[in-house]
Amino acid sequence: MIPGTRRRRHRHEKVTLSDVAQAAGVSAITVSRALREPEKVSPALRETILRVVEQMGYVPDMAARALASKDSGLIGVLTPGLTSYAFIAVMRGIEDRVRSTDLRIQYANPGDGRNDDGRKLRFFFSQNPAGIIYVGLQHDSALDDLLRRAPCPVVEIMDVSHAPAEMAVGIDHRLAAEAATRHLLEQGYRRIAMLGASWDNRSKRRLEGFQSVLEAEGLFDPSLVLSIDSYTSVGLGAHLLDRLLSDHPDADAAFCHSDDLALGALFECQRRGRSVPNEFGICGFNDFDYAGVAFPSLTSVRLPRYEIGYRAADMLIRATGGGRQAPTVVDLGFQLIARQSTARNAPKGPTG
Amino acid sequence: MIPGTRRRRHRHEKVTLSDVAQAAGVSAITVSRALREPEKVSPALRETILRVVEQMGYVPDMAARALASKDSGLIGVLTPGLTSYAFIAVMRGIEDRVRSTDLRIQYANPGDGRNDDGRKLRFFFSQNPAGIIYVGLQHDSALDDLLRRAPCPVVEIMDVSHAPAEMAVGIDHRLAAEAATRHLLEQGYRRIAMLGASWDNRSKRRLEGFQSVLEAEGLFDPSLVLSIDSYTSVGLGAHLLDRLLSDHPDADAAFCHSDDLALGALFECQRRGRSVPNEFGICGFNDFDYAGVAFPSLTSVRLPRYEIGYRAADMLIRATGGGRQAPTVVDLGFQLIARQSTARNAPKGPTG
DNA sequence: CTGTTAGCGCTTTCAT
DNA sequence: ATGAAAGCGCTAACAG
């Protein structure tokens, strides 16, 4: 009753394997087997043991298990985009694939900016992971080396535009950007801007694609490439479009590095009374769920994000069993989804 | 050159503490100390040791460390909403607070629906976590008991409408819903619907608040409460509003359980040519970044999600040091942000 | 400040 | 099918 006088909890003398063994009248190893390889224990014993386990509320100590078996059952997912909307679908894919196994997932954010991917990777290695899913920002040779000598299988995901250390699943971001840019050209836009948030590997690839297509037409203007190094967001999209139109009122379209930027751009156009798609075309990237629901709906590039996650986990799980194979690259492909926001001269421009 | 003939890697004879010790001509424990409590080792030795560590590429084995010290340095974050947009800000808060420590975070999704929170919790416990951040869906007494006898500090986050086992950080969802509903009434809306996606604890709390305010005015109509049990999304918001207006054309406002539903509702109104806010009011929840950027901008209830995460991690870290205190509840409060989507009779209705 | 001894809880290997 | 012994790599507790 008297506050502050509560006895400390957190004391629960931990139930160990030998406790269970003793209670069940068998040796520790038999309990261990009953839990992990039930078929190697006689049915009768097995049942007894499992009952005792249940009764005593025994839970294996993962640290001890990992130490003894050199297998943590841990899949490490390492990405700077951990807290990004785009990564949610990837996580779902990974989780769904892993759910039926007894592996666990540990996410880690290698910290923004600084080149400490190496540190984080090393750290992961120190946990005897069963596998690692890695989303690289940069890709210098030191990192490549590190991945190559990883103590477990590694799948690099999202981008497949360069040879992976071992396995990779994703799409070719350069090609995706080319397709989007070409689409804008086909719709008759000429002063096309690019709105982006950060300049990681993939963004750079997209810029390359964007630039090459426009340069071929003599239409590339570097001053139409806008970015701020911060979290991508709808608000940022509005801000960038505002800047774009203030400085370059003649810009007539934007290819955005993500749909949230595109949505922000759309709102800003509406606010300025600039008709989308007739006076301004918008193409996003990622095909987030709202792209198809927006009014007008947003043209975007669909990435199979869920599938990338699912497939990566799948490859990892398979690789865990067998030995090493030669480098494997899986390109899951993208899809340009043309919608109203670039449908110039379409039946009816919804906005302006 | 011949593919498939590559020698198996993953072999790197692991460098252990004693390897380093031997190379440095000291005992293992000294190396251990040099790494964890540098001030307890003479500067000269320390430097030598750290150099050798670097040279040999030694990385501590976390499993061994956890086993020996009974401290995994792991903070478990357990939430069914791991892959939800709303949780991203919470994660950022947690990560930011934890970054400066040597703790690590392990996220886990207790699986959708089924009542296996208990299993997941037990599993976490088996890793000797330093602390646990828990987002509950349900809150039965069995679970409460489990939390109460956790082997580490536990912070329950998001909702503070009931007494926690130990510590809690969040807001009162019932009050938040009451505020939102009252706001809609004040703006003159009368046939107010509620659009939601799932019926977890917090959603139920919000429904209670919504219902009580409307009932006090004799305006509650259960047939205006719509929900589907699935991921919340912009598309779902559009769908629910479509259903609402088809069945109840006289509905004149909606309180949405999340801003993505609200945004979808807005788009659907625009599509139907129903003016927001004059012919229909929309109030969201969460105050996602786009709420303020949308056109018209969306009225919403702001939750301090980042702060909740940061604070939860902070409390955990503090609790790690000291012993147990009496149950602690921190209500971080919400804020109703009135914007255009409920500004009936405002200077200028942007849409219709 | 540095070292010795013991043991964390489990699994491996080898017997039986 | 079951068990005994040994040890995974590290740190706690105590000595010196």
Side-chain angles (χ1 to χ4, degrees), chain A residues 299-349:
Chain A
T299 293
S300 192
V301 179
R302 174 176 298 166
L303 309 206
R305 296 193 304 286
Y306 177 91
E307 288 74 17
I308 289 175
Y310 193 95
R311 189 67 174 275
D314 189 63
M315 289 169 73
L316 221 45
I317 289 165
R318 288 175 199 284
T320 297
R324 284 294 194 104
Q325 301 95 348
T328 313
V329 174
V330 179
D331 186 337
L332 256 24
F334 59 87
Q335 208 180 339
L336 179 78
I337 315 281
R339 296 204 183 90
Q340 295 170 349
S341 68
T342 55
R344 208 177 211 178
N345 310 317
K348 231 178 163 184

Side-chain angles (χ1 to χ4, degrees), chain B residues 155-160 168-172 302-313 315 329-335:
Chain B
V155 182
E156 296 169 67
I157 63 171
M158 301 322 281
D159 189 45
V160 296
V169 194
I171 68 151
D172 188 320
R302 175 176 298 167
L303 308 205
R305 297 193 304 285
Y306 177 91
E307 288 74 17
I308 289 175
Y310 193 95
R311 188 67 174 273
M315 290 169 72
V329 175
V330 178
D331 186 336
L332 254 25
F334 60 87
Q335 209 181 337

Side-chain angles (χ1 to χ4, degrees), chain B:
Chain B
M1 282 297 157
I2 303 167
T5 319
R6 323 174 59 201
R7 154 184 44 180
R8 290 188 79 207
R9 274 152 308 159
H10 302 337
R11 269 293 171 161
H12 267 274
E13 292 319 325
K14 185 169 194 164
V15 182
T16 71
L17 201 57
S18 12
D19 295 337
V20 176
Q22 205 164 354
V26 297
S27 75
I29 187 66
T30 307
V31 178
S32 176
R33 281 201 271 257
L35 257 26
R36 290 175 305 126
E37 314 163 290
E39 73 283 1
K40 293 196 174 177
V41 174
S42 74
L45 247 191
R46 189 195 314 157
E47 208 175 326
T48 317
I49 292 175
L50 294 182
R51 186 148 8 94
V52 176
V53 163
E54 192 59 36
Q55 275 174 11
M56 305 183 67
Y58 167 73
V59 187
D61 182 312
M62 298 319 282
R65 179 176 280 185
L67 180 58
S69 69
K70 316 203 64 50
D71 173 15
S72 63
L74 217 56
I75 288 187
V77 178
L78 194 60
T79 166
L82 181 56
T83 56
S84 80
Y85 187 56
F87 199 67
I88 288 179
V90 181
M91 285 173 77
R92 285 190 184 147
I94 297 173
E95 301 254 345
D96 281 354
R97 178 61 185 87
V98 168
R99 188 158 301 143
S100 62
T101 73
D102 54 356
L103 294 162
R104 292 158 298 137
I105 302 167
Q106 176 154 339
Y107 298 95
N109 196 325
D112 323 294
R114 259 173 314 300
N115 199 336
D116 61 350
D117 276 32
R119 260 173 41 81
K120 284 278 182 173
L121 269 172
R122 255 182 266 271
F123 175 77
F124 253 118
F125 293 168
S126 79
Q127 303 188 67
N128 295 316
I132 285 184
I133 294 177
Y134 176 73
V135 186
L137 270 186
Q138 74 261 325
H139 214 91
D140 49 55
S141 63
L143 211 124
D144 218 66
D145 233 55
L146 198 57
L147 291 178
R148 211 176 296 285
R149 56 179 59 187
C152 64
V154 176
V155 182
E156 296 169 67
I157 63 171
M158 301 322 281
D159 189 45
V160 296
S161 61
H162 56 68
E166 188 174 347
M167 295 179 276
V169 194
I171 68 151
D172 188 320
H173 283 253
R174 189 187 216 278
L175 288 181
E178 286 178 8
T181 312
R182 219 172 278 121
H183 170 73
L184 286 169
L185 284 174
E186 283 163 7
Q187 299 302 109
Y189 300 106
R190 285 298 170 266
R191 292 284 292 159
I192 305 174
M194 173 166 233
L195 270 38
S198 62
W199 294 113
D200 56 49
N201 244 349
R202 282 159 281 143
S203 302
K204 280 186 209 132
R205 289 278 165 195
R206 294 202 288 268
L207 178 55
E208 285 170 21
F210 175 78
Q211 182 167 352
S212 74
V213 167
L214 288 186
E215 271 176 349
E217 305 288 330
L219 290 173
F220 181 67
D221 177 353
S223 69
L224 294 184
V225 175
L226 270 65
S227 83
I228 284 187
D229 200 13
S230 84
Y231 288 128
T232 177
S233 74
V234 178
L236 183 60
H239 172 73
L240 288 177
L241 195 81
D242 178 55
R243 243 179 52 192
L244 173 70
L245 292 186
S246 301
D247 297 353
H248 306 275
D250 62 327
D252 65 358
F255 171 43
C256 303
H257 271 251
S258 182
D259 280 351
D260 44 9
L261 298 177
L263 184 60
L266 171 61
F267 287 143
E268 182 62 25
C269 283
Q270 293 175 336
R271 195 161 280 117
R272 287 169 168 259
R274 186 128 175 181
S275 155
V276 175
N278 289 332
E279 295 169 26
F280 198 86
I282 298 178
C283 177
F285 200 85
N286 277 328
D287 196 36
F288 287 151
D289 99 284
Y290 49 74
V293 183
F295 187 75
S297 57
L298 293 167
T299 293
S300 191
V301 178
R302 175 176 298 167
L303 308 205
R305 297 193 304 285
Y306 177 91
E307 288 74 17
I308 289 175
Y310 193 95
R311 188 67 174 273
D314 189 63
M315 290 169 72
L316 221 45
I317 290 165
R318 289 176 197 286
T320 296
R324 283 294 193 105
Q325 301 95 346
T328 313
V329 175
V330 178
D331 186 336
L332 254 25
F334 60 87
Q335 209 181 337
L336 179 78
I337 314 281
R339 295 203 184 89
Q340 295 170 349
S341 69
T342 54
R344 208 178 212 178
N345 310 318
K348 229 176 163 186
T351 303

